[in-house]
Amino acid sequence: MTSIDPFERFGAVPQFTLESDDVADGRPLSRAQWGSGGGGDNVSPQLSWSGFPAETKSFAVTIHDPDAPTGSGFWHWAVFNIPAEVTTLAAGAGTEGGGSLPQGAAMLSNELRSKSFTGAGPPPGTGTHHYDIVVHALDVERLDLDPESTPAVLGFNAHFHTLARAVLTPVATAGDI
């Protein structure tokens, strides 16, 4: 299955390859990637990417659920200023405080106001939720964002510096685990 780029409506950019030992396109999330309130472990998935443009200077990674019943979706994770030579994030890199992130990378608060990854938790009766995991290849070494910025502000700033992106979209439905 080839993921659809959720940002394409803002202008198509080339896509590169995103793989994971933990999640797959169109496949249900495992217990590890669910939130603790839904019986999961809140473990950010392992991610690795390749085939991005040679002129890439940094990466940003976001995980967003556009199907959350909020009108604006739900941001689960936002990381930026990942150095260009880093092409893998280990499972659990999204722990509170960012100690497992590469040197120089920073996390923004998710919807629960935690600077960490928060797992899935689709409410009963809201259908299947799609979790857009996106790696943005950027043309700048750093995005100078206020540490209290939201993931939406990261997305806005990344938009103007995105050379290419890679997408995986696993799914979850209440009662899956």
Side-chain angles (χ1 to χ4, degrees):
M1 176 180 205
T2 302
S3 277
I4 296 170
D5 182 348
F7 295 94
E8 189 171 21
R9 69 180 184 260
F10 303 120
V13 297
Q15 290 200 359
F16 55 98
T17 302
L18 175 58
E19 298 176 318
S20 176
D21 295 337
D22 301 322
V23 298
D25 253 346
R27 306 290 305 153
L29 290 170
S30 68
R31 181 180 185 276
Q33 279 72 55
W34 276 70
S36 56
D41 299 324
N42 276 321
V43 176
S44 59
Q46 181 276 339
L47 302 171
S48 59
W49 51 92
S50 61
F52 48 87
E55 57 272 20
T56 299
K57 294 183 180 176
S58 70
F59 297 100
V61 175
T62 57
I63 300 180
H64 180 255
D65 170 7
D67 303 310
T70 64
S72 60
F74 190 99
W75 291 99
H76 288 263
W77 199 27
V79 182
F80 64 106
N81 293 342
I82 299 169
E85 63 273 8
V86 174
T87 60
T88 300
L89 292 177
T95 57
E96 183 77 34
S100 298
L101 290 174
Q103 183 72 27
M107 273 192 287
L108 296 174
S109 295
N110 58 37
E111 296 291 346
L112 300 180
R113 302 192 46 81
S114 172
K115 288 188 179 182
S116 66
F117 168 81
T118 190
T126 61
T128 299
H129 290 231
H130 299 81
Y131 295 84
D132 293 324
I133 302 171
V134 182
V135 179
H136 311 260
L138 305 176
D139 66 0
V140 293
E141 289 181 13
R142 296 187 47 76
L143 290 173
D144 292 318
L145 300 180
D146 182 312
E148 299 306 313
S149 293
T150 64
V153 170
L154 168 59
F156 177 82
N157 284 272
H159 169 78
F160 297 101
H161 296 285
T162 297
L163 298 168
R165 69 178 62 89
V167 181
L168 280 177
T169 306
V171 298
T173 304
D176 275 357
I177 62 168

